[in-house]
């Protein structure tokens, strides 16, 4: 792609924040030499502000003098920074529509939302404007855009990758993830960011299917997932159907929502009130509700999380991999109503909270299509098994090549 063509594509994709460009030093050689890197605009990058998808945060940011460690690690491995990319406002959304800055283009399905909150990251990679992009995942903000845009995306084990120099949303759920189209690039980034596994998977993991998650989904979604399992049978064998939600999806959903909301308000509530932030649809309502959550409710739902985490870790053991769709369906259409998008988000949280509440890694792979749109297949593995999970995922990608 020529420089002019790249500039035109970047404008049409609407994913890059139009900050004045500041050159960043990167290693001339290394495992990511030649790889174009985009960075979600909640990571600090030296020479740039950190806007967090909100005009008030952008105005208060100032120019950062150092880059977040995750960004710096990739630069030192040879990655070439090509720009900061948009995020949903304060990273507290899942659809990719920012009321202040617009909607980045979904390169896998241009008539559909890109998903968020790492919307610009997924857009840059899916439109071929970056080879690798950093994002964050609190409640699905890497896994959902990866599914919607036809990319590989990982939510790592909670705490595995540094979030220093990154805006907090809900610290006990926040993770640093990334996107790529190519498994080689994705894996090399993982080697740099993750370090050695503390609990590697065996060469042939025990496979399971989240039967109760599938029961929440439409028959057409169940069918395309079943067809994907058939294609992967040479690697995964015959997975065991299991129940994943204990005691129930509703209980887990509300535990996740309350903990996330409480922590989000602790992180941002004071400045939202002090500066009268003008928040967009959905985000405003979520913060307003979050302001009402009490410490007693936080404690109650924290106990639910602790109990579920113990159950889920027993389910996976040290050798288990759980297979499930990454999202309830393909990406909603850009023309869908705000209420429809909120309903979709609430349905998605019931699936996505399994990894969030347990702290386990989940990778989304672009192995399914439905209604001529990308649709991700996910694997959840034991905490600390991220790199071996990526290697196993690479085998599945190869099986479907």
């Amino acid at each position: 792609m020529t420089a002019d063509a790249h500039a035109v594509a970047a404008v049409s994709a609407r994913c890059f924040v139009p900050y004045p460009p500041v050159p960043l030093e990167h290693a001339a050689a290394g495992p990511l030499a030649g790889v174009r890197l985009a960075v979600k605009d909640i990571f600090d990058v030296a020479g740039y502000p950190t806007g967090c998808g909100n005009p008030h945060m952008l105005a208060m940011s100032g120019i950062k003098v150092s880059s977040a460690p995750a960004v710096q690690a990739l630069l030192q491995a040879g990655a070439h920074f090509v720009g900061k990319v948009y995020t949903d406002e304060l990273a507290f959304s899942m659809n990719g529509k920012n009321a202040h800055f617009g909607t980045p283009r979904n390169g896998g399905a241009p008539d559909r939302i890109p998903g968020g909150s790492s919307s610009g990251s997924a857009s840059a990679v899916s439109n071929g404007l970056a080879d690798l992009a950093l994002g964050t995942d609190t409640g699905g903000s890497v896994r959902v855009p990866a599914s919607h845009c036809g990319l590989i995306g990982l939510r790592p084990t909670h705490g595995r990758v540094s979030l220093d120099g990154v805006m907090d949303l809900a610290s006990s759920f926040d993770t640093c993830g990334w996107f790529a189209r190519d498994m080689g690039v994705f894996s090399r980034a993982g080697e740099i960011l993750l370090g050695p596994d503390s609990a590697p998977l065996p060469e042939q993991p025990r496979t399971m299917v989240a039967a109760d998650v599938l029961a929440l989904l439409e028959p057409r979604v169940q069918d395309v997932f079943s067809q994907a399992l058939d294609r992967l049978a040479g690697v995964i064998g015959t997975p065991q159907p299991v129940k994943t939600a204990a005691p129930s999806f509703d209980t887990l959903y509300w535990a996740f929502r309350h903990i996330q909301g409480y922590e989000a308000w602790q992180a941002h509530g004071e400045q939202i009130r002090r500066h009268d932030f003008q928040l967009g649809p959905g985000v405003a309502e979520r913060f307003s509700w979050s302001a009402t959550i009490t410490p007693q409710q936080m404690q109650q739902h924290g106990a639910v999380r602790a109990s579920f985490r113990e159950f889920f870790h027993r389910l996976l053991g040290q050798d288990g991999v759980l297979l499930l769709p990454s999202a309830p369906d393909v990406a909603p259409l850009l023309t869908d109503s705000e209420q429809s998008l909120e309903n979709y988000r609430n349905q998605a949280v019931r699936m996505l909270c399994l990894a969030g509440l347990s702290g386990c890694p989940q990778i989304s792979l672009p192995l399914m299509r439905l209604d001529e749109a990308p649709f991700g297949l996910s694997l959840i593995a034991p905490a600390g098994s991220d790199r071996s999970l990526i290697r196993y995922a690479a085998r599945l990608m190869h099986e479907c090549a």
Side-chain angles (χ1 to χ4, degrees), residues 238-253:
T238 304
Q240 175 191 6
V242 295
K243 176 185 176 182
T244 61
S248 70
F249 283 108
D250 280 350
T251 301
L252 298 182
Y253 168 85

Side-chain angles (χ1 to χ4, degrees), residues 197 199-202 205 384-393:
D197 278 349
L201 289 166
S385 68
D386 307 55
R387 284 181 63 175
S388 52
L389 173 61
I390 293 171
R391 288 194 294 271
Y392 186 64

Side-chain angles (χ1 to χ4, degrees), residues 141-165:
S141 291
V142 166
R143 292 163 288 167
V144 167
S147 179
H148 288 357
C149 296
L151 302 172
I152 309 162
L154 176 75
R155 173 198 168 87
T157 297
H158 185 262
R160 183 80 184 258
V161 182
S162 171
L163 284 172
D164 291 345

Side-chain angles (χ1 to χ4, degrees), residues 14 17-18 51-56 58 86-87 98-104:
R14 302 182 299 276
V17 186
C52 305
N54 175 271
H56 303 271
L58 176 58
Y86 283 118
T87 173
N98 187 305
H100 309 288
F101 302 114
T103 305

Side-chain angles (χ1 to χ4, degrees), residues 10-348:
V11 170
S12 66
R14 302 182 299 276
C15 54
F16 286 103
V17 186
Y19 295 136
V22 177
L24 289 184
E25 290 187 8
H26 61 91
L32 295 179
V35 170
R36 299 167 298 165
L37 171 67
V39 176
K40 184 177 182 177
D41 194 23
I42 69 171
F43 289 78
D44 288 351
V45 175
Y48 291 83
T50 303
C52 305
N54 175 271
H56 303 271
M57 293 289 281
L58 176 58
M60 295 187 295
S61 166
I63 302 300
K64 305 303 179 183
V65 299
S66 61
S67 297
V71 175
Q72 194 61 36
L74 297 176
L75 296 174
Q76 291 172 348
H80 170 61
F81 176 76
V82 294
K84 299 195 83 175
V85 285
Y86 283 118
T87 173
D88 285 17
E89 192 171 12
L90 298 174
F92 206 1
S93 184
M94 197 180 288
N95 61 41
K97 289 186 169 186
N98 187 305
H100 309 288
F101 302 114
T103 305
R105 180 180 184 269
N106 179 340
D111 60 337
R112 297 178 181 273
I113 62 171
S117 62
S118 304
S119 53
S121 302
S123 175
V125 177
S126 65
N127 283 287
L129 301 171
D131 306 303
L132 177 68
L134 279 176
T136 57
D137 189 310
T138 301
S141 291
V142 166
R143 292 163 288 167
V144 167
S147 179
H148 288 357
C149 296
L151 302 172
I152 309 162
L154 176 75
R155 173 198 168 87
T157 297
H158 185 262
R160 183 80 184 258
V161 182
S162 171
L163 284 172
D164 291 345
V166 184
M167 184 206 81
D168 286 342
L169 177 61
S171 59
S172 70
F173 293 133
D174 294 345
T175 61
C176 170
W178 63 98
F179 302 87
R181 297 182 306 278
D182 176 79
M183 182 54 87
V185 170
F186 191 90
S187 299
R188 293 197 298 276
E191 292 170 5
I192 293 153
L193 292 171
L194 291 166
D197 278 349
S198 60
L201 289 166
E203 183 67 19
Q204 188 55 51
R206 174 175 52 91
T207 57
M208 297 167 282
V209 167
D212 52 349
V213 170
L214 290 177
L216 299 174
L217 308 178
E218 293 185 8
R220 54 193 275 282
V221 175
Q222 297 177 26
D223 289 345
V224 75
F225 180 71
S226 177
Q227 292 164 20
L229 296 187
D230 289 344
R231 294 198 309 274
L232 297 169
V235 178
I236 65 173
T238 304
Q240 175 191 6
V242 295
K243 176 185 176 182
T244 61
S248 70
F249 283 108
D250 280 350
T251 301
L252 298 182
Y253 168 85
W254 285 114
F256 180 86
R257 286 287 311 276
H258 278 84
I259 297 169
Q260 181 193 36
Y262 182 86
E263 292 182 351
W265 189 252
Q266 297 308 303
H268 297 291
E270 181 181 352
Q271 59 191 359
I272 287 173
R273 282 180 167 163
R274 178 188 301 172
H275 301 291
D276 190 25
F277 279 23
Q278 302 303 296
L279 301 170
V283 179
E285 288 78 8
R286 280 190 281 283
F287 271 113
S288 179
W289 177 77
S290 296
T292 69
I293 301 171
T294 66
Q296 292 75 20
Q297 289 174 307
M298 174 69 174
Q299 184 176 13
Q300 170 194 344
H301 291 289
V304 172
R305 172 168 61 178
S307 176
F308 169 73
R309 181 171 293 201
E310 182 179 349
F311 159 79
F312 199 74
H313 287 191
R314 285 199 311 269
L315 178 69
L316 294 179
Q318 293 296 309
D319 64 341
V321 170
L322 181 71
L323 295 102
L324 68 165
S326 301
D329 209 324
V330 296
L333 294 168
L334 288 166
T335 53
D336 284 354
S337 68
E338 288 295 331
Q339 185 57 58
S340 176
L341 293 175
E342 186 65 14
N343 292 342
Y344 181 88
R345 178 183 184 274
N346 290 332
Q347 185 183 12

